[in-house]
Amino acid sequence: MEVSKKIIVVGHFGVGKTSLIKQFVYEKFSDQYLTTIGVKIDKKLVEIEGAKLNLILWDIAGEQSVSKIPKNYFMGAHGMIYVFDLTREETYQNIEDEIFSIAKENSQMESVVLGNKSDLVSREFIEEVQSEIPIKFKITSAMTGENVEEAFISLAKSIL
């Protein structure tokens, strides 16, 4: 039996949301930047602990603030991936407020936070960012594929 689960992928523009989804779904990376307008939907069927999950991935256009995302995008979501760019501090300065704001829209969602573009910074810098941000997050690189599959699968397990 196959079960569908809606996952929204949110974050500021240019943080790599679309690239992470492409890496997870198609195992591909492109360095061409294409702006997502509105929402783009992809699917991937995964098997976890004998259960078949059809992950419906909503790639939501990046905004300066999640408060600008249409509220109906959050409806019915089982999970959320919040992405920020390790190379751009402005994408994680207000991360606690942003995640709290999203949780108010749908408190039933499981979530994972990803610090993307690890291939562009040093491990020392990543450790510095981890000490600054009070929220636990996973390090990813859409370009190299580092931790991408693991991040999506870990969220899928939590919403199973």
Side-chain angles (χ1 to χ4, degrees):
M1 184 173 144
E2 195 176 295
V3 179
S4 291
K5 299 288 184 175
K6 176 181 175 182
I7 296 175
I8 59 171
V9 183
V10 298
H12 291 234
F13 63 90
V15 296
K17 298 178 299 294
T18 301
S19 294
L20 284 166
I21 291 170
K22 279 185 180 176
Q23 183 63 254
F24 175 62
V25 176
Y26 306 107
E27 296 180 12
K28 290 183 180 177
F29 176 80
S30 171
D31 57 2
Q32 287 187 318
Y33 179 71
L34 298 172
T35 303
T36 302
I37 298 171
V39 65
K40 181 181 179 303
I41 299 173
D42 279 293
K43 295 183 208 178
K44 182 167 182 176
L45 184 63
V46 297
E47 190 167 327
I48 297 174
E49 299 169 10
K52 289 185 180 181
L53 288 179
N54 188 22
L55 301 179
I56 313 298
L57 305 166
W58 284 48
D59 180 1
I60 298 174
E63 296 284 353
Q64 289 283 35
S65 168
V66 294
S67 65
K68 295 182 182 194
I69 297 172
K71 307 290 184 234
N72 59 342
Y73 286 1
F74 299 105
M75 292 173 55
H78 300 94
M80 173 194 70
I81 295 177
Y82 184 96
V83 183
F84 69 90
D85 182 341
L86 288 164
T87 69
R88 293 177 27 226
E89 185 177 351
E90 68 271 15
T91 68
Y92 56 85
Q93 278 179 326
N94 299 316
I95 196 166
E96 276 185 296
D97 294 337
E98 299 258 318
I99 292 172
F100 178 73
S101 174
I102 294 169
K104 286 193 313 190
E105 297 303 324
N106 182 341
S107 62
Q108 304 302 308
M109 278 189 304
E110 294 292 330
S111 65
V112 65
V113 178
L114 305 181
N116 194 35
K117 303 187 183 181
S118 64
D119 54 289
L120 299 177
V121 296
S122 68
R123 289 291 161 195
E124 293 79 20
F125 182 79
I126 290 171
E127 289 171 11
E128 187 179 310
V129 172
Q130 286 174 319
S131 68
E132 290 174 15
I133 297 178
I135 297 207
K136 187 177 175 186
F137 63 92
K138 296 179 185 294
I139 303 300
T140 58
S141 168
M143 187 177 97
T144 67
E146 176 188 14
N147 294 327
V148 175
E149 177 92 7
E150 295 86 346
F152 280 84
I153 295 301
S154 123
L155 180 60
K157 284 180 180 177
S158 70
I159 62 176
L160 182 59

